[in-house]
Amino acid sequence: MKDSIDSVERSIATSCGHLVYIDGHSRVQMVHQTARDFLLRGNSDSEFAVDGKVGHTRLALCCLQYLNSKEMKGPGHRKSSMSTALNPRCPFVAYACNSLFEHISHASSTSDEVLSALARFLDSSNVLSWIEYLAQHSSLNRLVQTGKAFRNFQQRRSKHLSPFGKEIFLLDSWATDLVRLVTKFGKNLSASPSSIFHLIPPFCPSDTAPRRRFAASTRGITVHGLSATTWDDCLSTIVDTTEQFSALTCSDKYFAIGMSSGKVVVYNEMTCQEAHALQHPEPVRMLQFGHRTDFLISSGARTVRVWDMLSWKEQWTFDIPQICMSLWLMEEEQLLLGALRNNCLIIWDLITGTLRDSADWTRDIQSQFSHAFRRPIAAAFGIESSLLAVVYRGQDILLWDLERDTLHDTYCKDYGARSPGGKSKAQSGATGVVFSAAPNLTLLAATYSDGDLVLFDTSDGTVRELTLANAQNLASSPDGRTLACGNSSGTIQLYDFETLRLLYRINSEEYGIKQLAFSGDSHRLLDIRGSQCRVWDPTVLVRQDVDDENSDTISVSTAPQEISVESPEDVILITSLACSENAEYFFCGKEDGAIYLYETKSGRQMNRLLSHAHGVSILSIDFNSESKILCSTDSSSR
């Protein structure tokens, strides 16, 4: 700030004593919230009024001035580790490193001074020291938040000034790179923060800023053979070959995966790193986070368990007579609702841990039609519309009114609402349903066995849209704007929920999508199938509908996009390695029983040398350079 102050505390008390005070932790606090609101009020004529944008711009420049200083130089610029230990960084380092993202998010996007300071920072090794500091002393979440702040700043600036130039290109690259560094190398950064200097950059795709700027270090390693030039839309892939993933749910902070063994693993939503593991004593069929409370609910075939995420301890256990098809929290999340396969709605009190109420949603159906609604196959809660939608094989969709505790209507694919118990003319039955989570939308999406995806408006019982999707799994984004569908061939499609306009498609030959879920901010999509979970981050999920200078969303094209995922059947995993003495080439034993020769300089496969029995993994290989003999063993002990 280019000011010299002898005593900060005395200066604050003298100049601003009637508006602020210094608490016991040496933090400056406003005397009252109304004083803060008055000073930050945009139309105030007071001489004490604070312009938020000007203030954030100035503080962003202060942070960048420090981050560009010699104190934050990389290890190549430090005289020695002993020198660094004897001359620790000043206390301002914590504020500058942790608060940069917040000030960039609200700073003036037209400030050339801020952009120039950012470019100097991102083009120097200081950015690596900053990453190291956050990984060691703070949280990797800060890197993700800063990446989003960079993207926000760039998008706001492009509304007023040219979106081209070296500085803009650098900012755009790091906006993506910071997020990907956390999701791809989060465990490595947490275990060894200094790995960001010489070990991580060579493993980044060739067109990324860390690889271009820092991978040529003579102290690091050289990586050949990386085929990807940029990051793809898949943020992270979680694999556990010893498990079968069976349930998935997300919140603002976490996502959780339930498994057939009963294990539930909770991951940090931003970093995709494991946070905790729980054990449900039976295969997990369903998971649900509390959105306002720190609850995680897990359900199996016999019990529903409520976990306190502050202590990671089990709080309540509820026995259930039938499998639970859907769970939801209501009444300030003091009540837990469960829709069971015996046509019963159960309500549990999470304050006392007792059963509050139950109801049979088929009780009002005329007796001559009741046999058609014996065993449901799926259900979904629509809390905004206070409805429960229940699906029966080959039948209309049944809607139950949660507020009035009575049958609301039945919906058929062709006409929408019909009188309860009326005979359907539909040739195919619904297979799945989901309500839009948007506060002001009364939309219900349903998939049918003939491949149709139908959008109903529950406010008037009409069919709004219909399209062919061949969907089996459905999920609504928390903002209610996006509908995700997964089909039997492994393809995921994203639609605009109000129009069923196709936005994005992920083609894959991996069958068996078990479940789809959106992150709490609606910007990421997760899917589970078999023993793996993928986290997707397509830009099409970030759609802006208001022109806001400080908006943290991004305007992007919503034209349909399509990507393809390589089939796992086409990928043959390497199970053993051996290198020649001169390191000009190396040998790879693979799970298909074959041994291949590769060139070290390019990473290119040169030849397929030999094969053991087909499908028998090569466990170990050894090459003797003097005799030129290659020895190998496989999993069948040959």
Side-chain angles (χ1 to χ4, degrees):
M1 299 179 70
K2 299 180 181 179
D3 289 333
S4 178
I5 303 174
D6 294 330
S7 174
V8 176
E9 291 191 16
R10 185 169 63 250
S11 177
I12 291 174
T14 303
S15 304
C16 316
H18 297 293
L19 295 174
V20 301
Y21 69 95
I22 299 174
D23 64 16
H25 299 285
S26 298
R27 294 176 300 193
V28 179
Q29 304 281 5
M30 299 298 300
V31 293
H32 196 270
Q33 179 64 31
T34 55
R36 173 186 172 88
D37 295 339
F38 173 76
L39 293 176
L40 293 177
R41 191 168 57 189
N43 58 355
S44 175
D45 296 328
S46 171
E47 61 181 307
F48 300 107
V50 177
D51 187 318
K53 186 179 295 185
V54 173
H56 279 292
T57 300
R58 191 180 183 193
L59 287 169
L61 289 171
C62 290
C63 293
L64 287 168
Q65 181 181 344
Y66 176 79
L67 294 175
N68 280 319
S69 68
K70 292 182 179 180
E71 270 195 27
M72 292 297 291
K73 289 290 185 183
H77 299 272
R78 301 173 190 165
K79 293 182 179 180
S80 67
S81 58
M82 182 63 70
S83 173
T84 304
L86 295 176
N87 299 285
R89 292 165 174 155
C90 75
F92 186 63
V93 63
Y95 184 87
C97 290
N98 284 286
S99 301
L100 176 65
F101 83 93
E102 184 174 358
H103 297 310
I104 293 296
S105 295
H106 297 89
S108 172
S109 59
T110 58
S111 172
D112 292 333
E113 191 176 3
V114 172
L115 179 62
S116 178
L118 271 174
R120 288 198 307 273
F121 172 56
L122 298 176
D123 199 36
S124 69
S125 62
N126 292 37
V127 68
L128 301 184
S129 296
W130 169 70
I131 294 173
E132 178 196 34
Y133 179 89
L134 291 177
Q136 186 171 1
H137 301 289
S138 183
S139 167
L140 295 179
N141 291 355
R142 289 287 185 267
L143 296 177
V144 178
Q145 292 169 323
T146 307
K148 293 180 178 180
F150 287 171
R151 181 74 68 204
N152 169 238
F153 181 89
Q154 175 205 359
Q155 293 292 329
R156 289 188 288 123
R157 186 179 176 86
S158 66
K159 298 176 184 178
H160 311 287
L161 300 168
S162 171
F164 303 105
K166 181 180 178 181
E167 293 175 331
I168 293 294
F169 175 78
L170 188 62
L171 186 65
D172 177 71
S173 180
W174 276 105
T176 301
D177 296 339
L178 288 175
V179 178
R180 295 301 197 267
L181 283 173
V182 172
T183 56
K184 300 291 186 182
F185 304 104
K187 286 185 177 180
N188 309 92
L189 281 171
S190 297
S192 178
S194 62
S195 62
I196 188 60
F197 291 107
H198 306 296
L199 297 180
I200 291 178
F203 286 95
C204 296
S206 58
D207 290 346
T208 61
R211 176 68 178 267
R212 291 194 315 267
R213 182 66 178 81
F214 304 110
S217 171
T218 56
R219 296 179 58 187
I221 60 177
T222 302
V223 178
H224 297 287
L226 291 179
S227 57
T229 59
T230 60
W231 306 108
D232 57 29
D233 284 347
C234 183
L235 271 182
S236 182
T237 302
I238 299 168
V239 180
D240 187 344
T241 56
T242 64
E243 296 280 2
Q244 285 292 308
F245 295 172
S246 55
L248 177 67
T249 189
C250 298
S251 71
D252 292 334
K253 297 180 180 179
Y254 302 102
F255 66 90
I257 302 173
M259 307 178 188
S260 57
S261 65
K263 185 178 181 181
V264 178
V265 182
V266 182
Y267 296 86
N268 183 286
E269 191 274 331
M270 278 195 176
T271 64
C272 300
Q273 304 301 309
E274 182 177 333
H276 204 79
L278 305 169
Q279 187 63 45
H280 189 103
E282 58 181 329
V284 180
R285 293 179 175 269
M286 187 169 298
L287 293 170
Q288 178 69 50
F289 276 114
H291 298 290
R292 300 179 183 177
T293 54
D294 293 305
F295 283 149
L296 172 62
I297 299 104
S298 60
S299 175
R302 298 185 298 273
T303 61
V304 172
R305 296 175 186 266
V306 180
W307 306 86
D308 183 348
M309 295 180 61
L310 296 178
S311 62
W312 299 109
K313 298 290 181 63
E314 182 181 317
Q315 184 163 350
W316 306 112
T317 299
F318 305 116
D319 293 328
I320 51 177
Q322 287 285 337
I323 293 173
C324 189
M325 299 180 294
S326 185
L327 291 167
W328 201 259
L329 291 158
M330 62 182 300
E331 298 293 336
E332 299 297 322
E333 303 197 344
Q334 295 181 7
L335 299 180
L336 174 62
L337 280 64
L340 308 188
R341 279 194 177 171
N342 61 351
N343 293 312
C344 191
L345 173 66
I346 301 292
I347 303 177
W348 293 284
D349 189 323
L350 296 184
I351 302 300
T352 61
T354 58
L355 177 65
R356 169 74 71 88
D357 198 4
S358 64
D360 184 341
W361 59 68
T362 62
R363 69 189 183 198
D364 296 334
I365 298 177
Q366 299 175 22
S367 58
Q368 64 265 36
F369 299 111
S370 61
H371 68 278
F373 298 94
R374 287 184 177 177
R375 188 167 181 80
I377 58 174
F381 286 99
I383 297 303
E384 294 299 331
S385 55
S386 296
L387 294 175
L388 169 66
V390 187
V391 175
Y392 294 84
R393 195 177 306 278
Q395 299 298 322
D396 291 340
I397 300 170
L398 185 149
L399 272 73
W400 177 265
D401 192 315
L402 296 172
E403 287 188 351
R404 294 186 291 178
D405 196 27
T406 184
L407 186 62
H408 175 75
D409 216 327
T410 58
Y411 282 13
C412 73
K413 186 180 78 170
D414 299 325
Y415 311 111
R418 63 167 66 249
S419 59
K423 188 175 181 180
S424 173
K425 297 181 181 179
Q427 298 299 312
S428 63
T431 57
V433 287
V434 67
F435 286 91
S436 170
N440 300 318
L441 291 181
T442 53
L443 300 179
L444 171 67
T447 59
Y448 285 82
S449 56
D450 61 358
D452 284 342
L453 174 63
V454 181
L455 187 65
F456 299 102
D457 190 333
T458 59
S459 63
D460 55 16
T462 59
V463 175
R464 285 188 50 167
E465 301 289 343
L466 185 148
T467 189
L468 183 64
N470 294 314
Q472 290 187 332
N473 306 89
L474 296 175
S476 170
S477 60
D479 62 10
R481 301 180 64 188
T482 309
L483 173 67
C485 303
N487 65 24
S488 58
S489 63
T491 298
I492 298 173
Q493 299 182 113
L494 300 182
Y495 294 90
D496 180 272
F497 212 125
E498 290 191 65
T499 64
L500 293 190
R501 178 170 57 90
L502 181 63
L503 303 173
Y504 189 81
R505 179 185 288 117
I506 303 171
N507 294 316
S508 174
E509 296 182 9
E510 298 176 69
Y511 300 102
I513 297 176
K514 185 69 176 179
Q515 193 173 346
L516 301 169
F518 285 89
S519 60
D521 61 4
S522 302
H523 292 170
R524 294 180 181 178
L525 175 71
L526 292 80
D527 77 87
I528 56 172
R529 58 186 98 191
S531 299
Q532 70 176 20
C533 170
R534 281 197 176 102
V535 183
W536 302 93
D537 186 31
T539 56
V540 74
L541 286 179
V542 190
R543 292 177 282 155
Q544 181 172 311
D545 54 2
V546 292
D547 187 11
D548 183 1
E549 168 68 9
N550 289 321
S551 172
D552 59 359
T553 59
I554 308 163
S555 295
V556 296
S557 169
T558 55
Q561 302 174 33
E562 188 165 335
I563 65 169
S564 297
V565 180
E566 186 176 12
S567 171
E569 297 179 359
D570 299 330
V571 178
I572 305 174
L573 299 180
I574 295 173
T575 55
S576 55
L577 285 170
C579 189
S580 64
E581 187 174 347
N582 58 14
E584 292 182 358
Y585 49 88
F586 62 95
F587 306 90
C588 290
K590 298 192 176 183
E591 63 178 356
D592 64 348
I595 299 176
Y596 299 82
L597 178 66
Y598 285 81
E599 183 183 36
T600 302
K601 187 175 182 180
S602 65
R604 180 176 57 87
Q605 180 179 312
M606 299 173 62
N607 200 0
R608 184 176 188 270
L609 299 179
L610 58 100
S611 179
H612 288 227
H614 180 72
V616 179
S617 300
I618 305 298
L619 296 182
S620 176
I621 52 178
D622 181 75
F623 179 70
N624 187 291
S625 299
E626 293 183 3
S627 61
K628 307 296 182 182
I629 294 177
L630 178 69
C631 302
S632 61
T633 60
D634 60 32
S635 57
S636 65
S637 301
R638 295 181 179 178

